Amino acid sequence: MRGHRITVGLLAALALTGTLGMGTAQASAAPTRTPHQATRPDTAYAPPGWVLRGKYWTRGGCTEAGQEGVQRHHWDEFQCANGAMRWILWTNR
């Protein structure tokens, strides 16, 4: 009975060691990125001739800033483009 417990304990320790070793190897591997993601600049979303005015965490913040610029006559039109994790405000001037 005691020999059975020791064997089970050793097998559990080996399984845990193997799992941790595999997890470490997987975590240290460099993530692969496609060339499209690595080289995509924010200017890819720009309408021709428009100006980048800022980046916002929420669409509401971007829209509010765009509306304020229209009300102050800084620009006539604006666009909030969905960028990588942020909203990008473009204006026509």
Side-chain angles (χ1 to χ4, degrees), residues 56 58-59 61-64 66 78-82 87-90:
Y56 300 86
T58 64
R59 185 174 188 263
C62 181
T63 303
E64 183 178 339
F78 71 93
Q79 173 182 327
C80 291
N82 190 359
W87 290 88
I88 303 168
L89 175 62
W90 296 100

Side-chain angles (χ1 to χ4, degrees), residues 3-77:
H4 180 68
R5 287 184 185 174
I6 292 174
T7 303
V8 171
L10 287 174
L11 288 175
L14 286 173
L16 179 62
T17 304
T19 302
L20 292 176
M22 288 175 52
T24 303
Q26 289 174 354
S28 63
T32 59
R33 292 173 49 166
T34 62
H36 179 70
Q37 291 174 333
T39 60
R40 186 179 73 192
D42 289 334
T43 57
Y45 299 111
W50 283 40
V51 180
L52 181 129
R53 294 293 177 178
K55 298 178 182 180
Y56 300 86
W57 290 108
T58 64
R59 185 174 188 263
C62 181
T63 303
E64 183 178 339
Q67 288 292 343
E68 287 177 3
V70 170
Q71 291 171 354
R72 294 178 183 162
H73 304 287
H74 293 291
W75 49 78
D76 299 321
E77 297 177 58

